[in-house]
Every structure is written in C-alpha cells, then in structure tokens.
Amino acid sequence: MRRVDAMNRDSFRQRQKILDVVRNIPPGQTASYGEVARRAGLPGRARWVARVLADNDDTLTPWHRVLRSDGRIVFPVGSASFIEQLKRLQAEGVSLQGDRVRKPPKTLDQWLWEAKS
DNA sequence: GCGGTGACTGACA
DNA sequence: CTGTCAGCCACCG
C-alpha cells in the first residue's frame, strides 16, 4: 500500500471520529472545538475540527453545539450562520447571554453575582 | 515544494 | 473587558 493511501485512510477515519464526537454531544449541551479534538484523539487540532465541520454537509450532525473555547459563537454577530446557530441553541434550551453561552458556574459566589445582575 | 489561510487556543499585556 | 501573538496543521493555488 502506498504511503499516500495510508494517509488518506487515516485522514478519513479521523474525520469520521470527529463527526462521531460531535454527534454524541447531547442536546442542550455544548463543546469547544478543542474538546471535540481531544475526545477524537486529536489534541491540539481544533482548527482541523473546524474545517471538518465546515466541509460537512450531513444535516444530522449537530454542528451548532460546537463553540469556541471561551463559549462564544465563532461567526460574526448577525451573520446568517450566527443567527442560525443561535436559533438552534435556543431551541434546545441552551442559556445564552448575547453571543456567549453561559458557562457552568465555577463558584457559588460567581453564580449568585450573575443572578443578582 | 512553498507560502498563505482559517468555523481555534492559551498565554500575556 | 479588548487586543496581539505564537503554535497549530490540512488544504489550496
């Protein structure tokens, strides 16, 4: 088998793995590109995850549950993709503040503070 | 083969 | 909070 063939095969498997991971994100939950990459066994390759999702046309893949590491939607605010993703997230009951997904509370104080304001 | 380009990220100012 | 920067690596011309 040629080296190139082996490379293409691995590349294909990795793409599948990435898509599997994304499909396994439960509704109402989100993950960052970096997390998806790690779960797919490809630590440090967030950019590739992004590319795979961009190329992917499978409507069953919940691409909208994938956000940046800081919890924000990657697209420019107001763009068609942004609005679409926001809509899908809200439909699943994901709590958002603007373009940012509310992070899981780290401390009780922080949580209370947010609730107060 | 080489350089530019991202649906990215963590660190730092 | 915002902005910059160096890594990152598959893909494309």
Side-chain angles (χ1 to χ4, degrees):
Chain A
M1 176 184 288
R2 289 186 303 152
R3 216 180 279 193
V4 183
D5 292 337
M7 204 186 80
N8 286 336
R9 185 200 59 201
D10 288 346
S11 176
F12 177 78
R13 280 193 186 156
Q14 291 171 352
R15 274 197 293 271
Q16 295 300 53
K17 181 72 179 153
I18 288 170
L19 293 176
D20 279 347
V21 171
V22 173
R23 281 190 275 258
N24 281 330
I25 303 173
Q29 287 195 22
T30 60
S32 72
Y33 292 90
E35 281 177 70
V36 172
R38 274 198 304 280
R39 287 190 216 175
L42 302 165
R45 302 205 202 176
R47 297 193 99 135
W48 196 30
V49 171
R51 179 169 244 305
V52 169
L53 282 185
D55 292 344
N56 175 61
D57 51 353
D58 182 1
T59 50
L60 296 179
T61 304
W63 54 270
H64 59 279
R65 297 187 195 134
V66 184
L67 307 167
R68 284 209 234 175
S69 61
D70 61 3
R72 284 206 248 198
I73 291 174
V74 290
F75 306 110
V77 178
S79 67
S81 302
F82 175 91
I83 294 172
E84 175 68 14
Q85 184 167 11
L86 190 63
K87 195 164 65 178
R88 290 187 185 218
L89 288 174
Q90 287 175 333
E92 294 187 353
V94 175
S95 52
L96 298 154
Q97 294 189 126
D99 63 342
R100 171 171 254 166
V101 167
R102 191 175 303 195
K103 291 180 180 175
K106 289 181 178 175
T107 69
L108 182 59
D109 279 350
Q110 185 179 351
W111 208 92
L112 291 174
W113 191 90
E114 283 183 5
K116 196 163 47 177
S117 53

Short mmCIF file of all heavy atoms in Angstrom, two decimals, chain A residues 11 15 44-45 47-48 51 72 100, chain C residues 1-2 6-12:
data_model
loop_
_atom_site.label_atom_id
_atom_site.label_comp_id
_atom_site.label_asym_id
_atom_site.label_seq_id
_atom_site.Cartn_x
_atom_site.Cartn_y
_atom_site.Cartn_z
N SER A 11 -6.76 9.97 7.48
CA SER A 11 -7.44 11.25 7.44
C SER A 11 -8.96 11.05 7.44
O SER A 11 -9.69 11.73 8.15
CB SER A 11 -7.01 12.01 6.19
OG SER A 11 -7.72 13.20 6.08
N ARG A 15 -11.65 12.16 10.36
CA ARG A 15 -12.83 12.97 10.10
C ARG A 15 -14.08 12.30 10.66
O ARG A 15 -14.91 12.94 11.30
CB ARG A 15 -13.00 13.19 8.59
CG ARG A 15 -12.23 14.37 8.08
CD ARG A 15 -12.74 14.79 6.72
NE ARG A 15 -12.48 13.78 5.69
CZ ARG A 15 -11.39 13.72 4.96
NH1 ARG A 15 -10.45 14.61 5.12
NH2 ARG A 15 -11.23 12.79 4.05
N GLY A 44 -5.08 19.36 20.27
CA GLY A 44 -4.38 20.48 19.65
C GLY A 44 -4.76 20.73 18.21
O GLY A 44 -4.15 21.55 17.54
N ARG A 45 -5.78 20.02 17.73
CA ARG A 45 -6.15 20.21 16.33
C ARG A 45 -7.53 20.81 16.17
O ARG A 45 -8.33 20.37 15.33
CB ARG A 45 -6.06 18.91 15.57
CG ARG A 45 -4.70 18.31 15.65
CD ARG A 45 -4.47 17.43 14.48
NE ARG A 45 -3.44 16.46 14.75
CZ ARG A 45 -3.10 15.52 13.89
NH1 ARG A 45 -3.72 15.43 12.76
NH2 ARG A 45 -2.16 14.68 14.18
N ARG A 47 -8.39 23.52 14.88
CA ARG A 47 -8.58 24.11 13.55
C ARG A 47 -9.05 23.09 12.55
O ARG A 47 -9.85 23.39 11.66
CB ARG A 47 -7.29 24.76 13.07
CG ARG A 47 -6.86 25.89 13.93
CD ARG A 47 -5.78 26.68 13.25
NE ARG A 47 -6.38 27.84 12.65
CZ ARG A 47 -5.86 29.06 12.73
NH1 ARG A 47 -4.73 29.24 13.35
NH2 ARG A 47 -6.47 30.06 12.19
N TRP A 48 -8.55 21.88 12.70
CA TRP A 48 -8.98 20.86 11.77
C TRP A 48 -10.43 20.49 12.04
O TRP A 48 -11.21 20.25 11.12
CB TRP A 48 -8.07 19.64 11.82
CG TRP A 48 -8.27 18.78 10.62
CD1 TRP A 48 -8.65 19.22 9.37
CD2 TRP A 48 -8.15 17.37 10.52
NE1 TRP A 48 -8.77 18.16 8.52
CE2 TRP A 48 -8.46 17.00 9.20
CE3 TRP A 48 -7.80 16.37 11.44
CZ2 TRP A 48 -8.44 15.69 8.77
CZ3 TRP A 48 -7.78 15.06 10.99
CH2 TRP A 48 -8.09 14.72 9.67
N ARG A 51 -12.52 22.88 10.32
CA ARG A 51 -12.54 22.65 8.89
C ARG A 51 -13.46 21.49 8.53
O ARG A 51 -14.23 21.56 7.58
CB ARG A 51 -11.11 22.37 8.40
CG ARG A 51 -11.05 22.11 6.95
CD ARG A 51 -9.60 22.11 6.45
NE ARG A 51 -9.36 23.18 5.52
CZ ARG A 51 -10.07 23.38 4.41
NH1 ARG A 51 -11.10 22.64 4.13
NH2 ARG A 51 -9.76 24.36 3.59
N ARG A 72 -18.12 31.39 23.11
CA ARG A 72 -18.79 32.24 22.13
C ARG A 72 -19.00 31.52 20.81
O ARG A 72 -18.27 30.62 20.46
CB ARG A 72 -17.95 33.49 21.88
CG ARG A 72 -18.07 34.48 22.99
CD ARG A 72 -17.79 35.82 22.44
NE ARG A 72 -16.55 36.37 22.93
CZ ARG A 72 -16.29 37.69 22.84
NH1 ARG A 72 -17.15 38.49 22.31
NH2 ARG A 72 -15.16 38.15 23.29
N ARG A 100 -22.74 34.63 23.73
CA ARG A 100 -21.96 33.74 24.59
C ARG A 100 -22.84 32.77 25.37
O ARG A 100 -23.84 33.16 25.93
CB ARG A 100 -21.13 34.60 25.55
CG ARG A 100 -20.45 33.81 26.63
CD ARG A 100 -19.49 34.69 27.38
NE ARG A 100 -18.14 34.35 27.01
CZ ARG A 100 -17.08 35.12 27.27
NH1 ARG A 100 -17.23 36.28 27.85
NH2 ARG A 100 -15.90 34.73 26.93
P DC C 1 -15.67 39.32 29.88
OP1 DC C 1 -16.63 39.71 30.89
OP2 DC C 1 -15.88 38.18 29.09
"O5'" DC C 1 -15.29 40.60 29.03
"C5'" DC C 1 -16.12 41.71 29.07
"C4'" DC C 1 -15.32 42.95 28.75
"O4'" DC C 1 -14.37 43.23 29.82
"C3'" DC C 1 -14.48 42.82 27.50
"O3'" DC C 1 -15.27 43.16 26.38
"C2'" DC C 1 -13.42 43.88 27.76
"C1'" DC C 1 -13.19 43.78 29.26
N1 DC C 1 -12.04 42.92 29.67
C2 DC C 1 -10.74 43.35 29.43
O2 DC C 1 -10.58 44.45 28.90
N3 DC C 1 -9.72 42.57 29.79
C4 DC C 1 -9.94 41.37 30.35
N4 DC C 1 -8.90 40.62 30.70
C5 DC C 1 -11.26 40.91 30.60
C6 DC C 1 -12.28 41.70 30.24
P DT C 2 -14.88 42.56 24.99
OP1 DT C 2 -15.99 42.83 24.05
OP2 DT C 2 -14.40 41.19 25.22
"O5'" DT C 2 -13.59 43.37 24.52
"C5'" DT C 2 -13.58 44.79 24.46
"C4'" DT C 2 -12.19 45.20 24.00
"O4'" DT C 2 -11.23 44.78 25.01
"C3'" DT C 2 -11.81 44.49 22.70
"O3'" DT C 2 -11.28 45.42 21.75
"C2'" DT C 2 -10.79 43.46 23.12
"C1'" DT C 2 -10.17 44.08 24.37
N1 DT C 2 -9.70 43.06 25.33
C2 DT C 2 -8.36 43.05 25.66
O2 DT C 2 -7.55 43.84 25.22
N3 DT C 2 -8.01 42.05 26.52
C4 DT C 2 -8.83 41.08 27.08
O4 DT C 2 -8.39 40.23 27.83
C5 DT C 2 -10.22 41.17 26.69
C7 DT C 2 -11.21 40.19 27.24
C6 DT C 2 -10.59 42.13 25.85
P DA C 6 4.62 36.49 17.09
OP1 DA C 6 5.86 37.27 16.99
OP2 DA C 6 3.71 36.38 15.93
"O5'" DA C 6 4.97 35.03 17.60
"C5'" DA C 6 5.25 34.80 18.97
"C4'" DA C 6 4.80 33.41 19.37
"O4'" DA C 6 3.36 33.34 19.40
"C3'" DA C 6 5.25 32.31 18.42
"O3'" DA C 6 5.50 31.16 19.18
"C2'" DA C 6 4.03 32.10 17.52
"C1'" DA C 6 2.92 32.29 18.55
N9 DA C 6 1.64 32.69 17.99
C8 DA C 6 1.37 33.61 17.02
N7 DA C 6 0.10 33.77 16.76
C5 DA C 6 -0.53 32.88 17.62
C6 DA C 6 -1.87 32.55 17.83
N6 DA C 6 -2.88 33.12 17.18
N1 DA C 6 -2.15 31.62 18.77
C2 DA C 6 -1.14 31.05 19.44
N3 DA C 6 0.17 31.28 19.33
C4 DA C 6 0.41 32.21 18.38
P DG C 7 6.47 30.09 18.65
OP1 DG C 7 7.72 30.05 19.41
OP2 DG C 7 6.53 30.16 17.18
"O5'" DG C 7 5.63 28.81 19.07
"C5'" DG C 7 5.01 28.10 18.06
"C4'" DG C 7 3.87 27.31 18.61
"O4'" DG C 7 2.70 28.14 18.58
"C3'" DG C 7 3.61 26.14 17.68
"O3'" DG C 7 3.42 24.96 18.42
"C2'" DG C 7 2.36 26.53 16.94
"C1'" DG C 7 1.68 27.48 17.88
N9 DG C 7 0.91 28.45 17.12
C8 DG C 7 1.38 29.45 16.29
N7 DG C 7 0.44 30.13 15.71
C5 DG C 7 -0.73 29.55 16.18
C6 DG C 7 -2.07 29.85 15.89
O6 DG C 7 -2.52 30.73 15.15
N1 DG C 7 -2.94 29.01 16.58
C2 DG C 7 -2.56 28.01 17.43
N2 DG C 7 -3.52 27.28 18.00
N3 DG C 7 -1.30 27.71 17.71
C4 DG C 7 -0.45 28.52 17.05
P DC C 8 3.61 23.62 17.55
OP1 DC C 8 3.83 22.52 18.50
OP2 DC C 8 4.56 23.89 16.45
"O5'" DC C 8 2.16 23.41 16.89
"C5'" DC C 8 1.04 23.22 17.72
"C4'" DC C 8 -0.21 23.23 16.88
"O4'" DC C 8 -0.54 24.58 16.52
"C3'" DC C 8 -0.05 22.51 15.55
"O3'" DC C 8 -0.40 21.16 15.71
"C2'" DC C 8 -1.04 23.23 14.64
"C1'" DC C 8 -1.24 24.58 15.31
N1 DC C 8 -0.74 25.74 14.53
C2 DC C 8 -1.64 26.68 14.08
O2 DC C 8 -2.84 26.53 14.32
N3 DC C 8 -1.18 27.75 13.38
C4 DC C 8 0.14 27.88 13.14
N4 DC C 8 0.55 28.95 12.46
C5 DC C 8 1.08 26.92 13.60
C6 DC C 8 0.60 25.87 14.28
P DC C 9 0.44 20.10 14.90
OP1 DC C 9 0.29 18.83 15.63
OP2 DC C 9 1.77 20.63 14.59
"O5'" DC C 9 -0.38 19.99 13.54
"C5'" DC C 9 -1.76 19.74 13.58
"C4'" DC C 9 -2.35 19.97 12.20
"O4'" DC C 9 -2.42 21.38 11.93
"C3'" DC C 9 -1.53 19.37 11.07
"O3'" DC C 9 -2.40 18.90 10.09
"C2'" DC C 9 -0.79 20.57 10.54
"C1'" DC C 9 -1.88 21.59 10.65
N1 DC C 9 -1.47 23.00 10.54
C2 DC C 9 -2.41 23.93 10.09
O2 DC C 9 -3.56 23.54 9.83
N3 DC C 9 -2.04 25.23 9.96
C4 DC C 9 -0.80 25.59 10.26
N4 DC C 9 -0.49 26.87 10.11
C5 DC C 9 0.17 24.66 10.73
C6 DC C 9 -0.22 23.37 10.86
P DA C 10 -2.18 17.58 9.36
OP1 DA C 10 -2.40 16.49 10.30
OP2 DA C 10 -0.91 17.70 8.64
"O5'" DA C 10 -3.37 17.57 8.29
"C5'" DA C 10 -4.70 17.66 8.77
"C4'" DA C 10 -5.56 18.43 7.79
"O4'" DA C 10 -5.16 19.82 7.78
"C3'" DA C 10 -5.45 17.96 6.35
"O3'" DA C 10 -6.74 18.04 5.75
"C2'" DA C 10 -4.47 18.93 5.72
"C1'" DA C 10 -4.75 20.21 6.49
N9 DA C 10 -3.60 21.10 6.65
C8 DA C 10 -2.32 20.75 6.99
N7 DA C 10 -1.49 21.77 7.08
C5 DA C 10 -2.28 22.86 6.79
C6 DA C 10 -1.99 24.23 6.71
N6 DA C 10 -0.79 24.75 6.93
N1 DA C 10 -3.01 25.06 6.39
C2 DA C 10 -4.21 24.53 6.18
N3 DA C 10 -4.60 23.26 6.21
C4 DA C 10 -3.58 22.46 6.53
P DC C 11 -6.96 17.51 4.29
OP1 DC C 11 -8.31 16.95 4.26
OP2 DC C 11 -5.80 16.71 3.85
"O5'" DC C 11 -6.96 18.89 3.50
"C5'" DC C 11 -7.80 19.93 3.96
"C4'" DC C 11 -7.63 21.17 3.11
"O4'" DC C 11 -6.46 21.88 3.51
"C3'" DC C 11 -7.45 20.88 1.62
"O3'" DC C 11 -8.34 21.71 0.90
"C2'" DC C 11 -6.00 21.25 1.34
"C1'" DC C 11 -5.78 22.34 2.38
N1 DC C 11 -4.36 22.55 2.75
C2 DC C 11 -3.88 23.85 2.86
O2 DC C 11 -4.65 24.79 2.64
N3 DC C 11 -2.58 24.06 3.20
C4 DC C 11 -1.78 23.01 3.43
N4 DC C 11 -0.53 23.26 3.76
C5 DC C 11 -2.26 21.68 3.34
C6 DC C 11 -3.56 21.48 2.99
P DC C 12 -8.64 21.38 -0.65
OP1 DC C 12 -10.11 21.24 -0.75
OP2 DC C 12 -7.76 20.30 -1.14
"O5'" DC C 12 -8.21 22.73 -1.36
"C5'" DC C 12 -8.36 23.97 -0.68
"C4'" DC C 12 -7.51 25.03 -1.36
"O4'" DC C 12 -6.19 25.08 -0.74
"C3'" DC C 12 -7.26 24.77 -2.84
"O3'" DC C 12 -7.41 25.98 -3.56
"C2'" DC C 12 -5.84 24.27 -2.88
"C1'" DC C 12 -5.21 25.08 -1.76
N1 DC C 12 -3.99 24.50 -1.20
C2 DC C 12 -2.93 25.36 -0.86
O2 DC C 12 -3.07 26.57 -1.05
N3 DC C 12 -1.79 24.83 -0.36
C4 DC C 12 -1.70 23.50 -0.19
N4 DC C 12 -0.56 23.03 0.31
C5 DC C 12 -2.76 22.63 -0.52
C6 DC C 12 -3.88 23.16 -1.02
#
